[in-house]
């Protein structure tokens, strides 16, 4: 599968071979950016302007914030994150 982040529509999509329209995994982001998929097929997305990293569990469909979620100077805050590995 191929995963894409769409800044214009603020969505993350999953594309399978021969798909003409990708399946929306999640929406409501503000500038979704880099994506990482782990061996369990959980999808991690940098939600740039929400200052967070989001986890999408493809098995359960659960979506959770795993880092950040607010802007600021504290150790738990992120400031316009750009990558995730």
């Amino acid at each position: 599968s191929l995963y894409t982040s769409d800044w214009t529509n603020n969505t993350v999509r999953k594309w399978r071979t021969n798909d003409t329209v990708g399946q929306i995994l999640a929406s409501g982001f503000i500038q979704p950016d880099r994506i990482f998929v782990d061996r369990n097929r959980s999808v991690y997305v940098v939600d740039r302007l929400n200052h967070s990293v989001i986890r999408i569990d493809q098995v359960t469909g659960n979506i959770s914030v795993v880092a950040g979620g607010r802007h600021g100077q504290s150790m738990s805050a992120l400031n316009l994150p750009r990558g995730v590995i």
Side-chain angles (χ1 to χ4, degrees):
S1 297
L2 173 72
Y3 299 84
T4 60
S5 57
D6 181 345
W7 278 27
T8 302
N9 295 306
N10 295 312
T11 60
V12 172
R13 292 180 183 262
K14 176 181 180 178
W15 300 78
R16 293 191 172 133
T17 304
N18 299 321
D19 277 355
T20 56
V21 176
Q23 168 194 0
I24 295 177
L25 290 181
S27 60
F29 296 98
I30 304 177
Q31 286 190 355
D33 208 326
R34 307 307 197 269
I35 296 173
F36 173 78
V37 182
D38 70 14
R39 73 176 111 201
N40 298 316
R41 295 187 307 151
S42 290
V43 179
Y44 295 83
V45 181
V46 171
D47 191 2
R48 188 148 192 245
L49 293 184
N50 278 322
H51 310 285
S52 60
V53 176
I54 306 298
R55 178 180 177 264
I56 305 166
D57 184 319
Q58 289 190 74
V59 175
T60 65
N62 290 337
I63 298 172
S64 56
V65 175
V66 294
R70 61 191 171 130
H71 179 261
Q73 299 299 318
S74 74
M75 293 298 287
S76 63
L78 296 176
N79 184 15
L80 302 171
R82 288 292 304 233
V84 61
I85 294 177

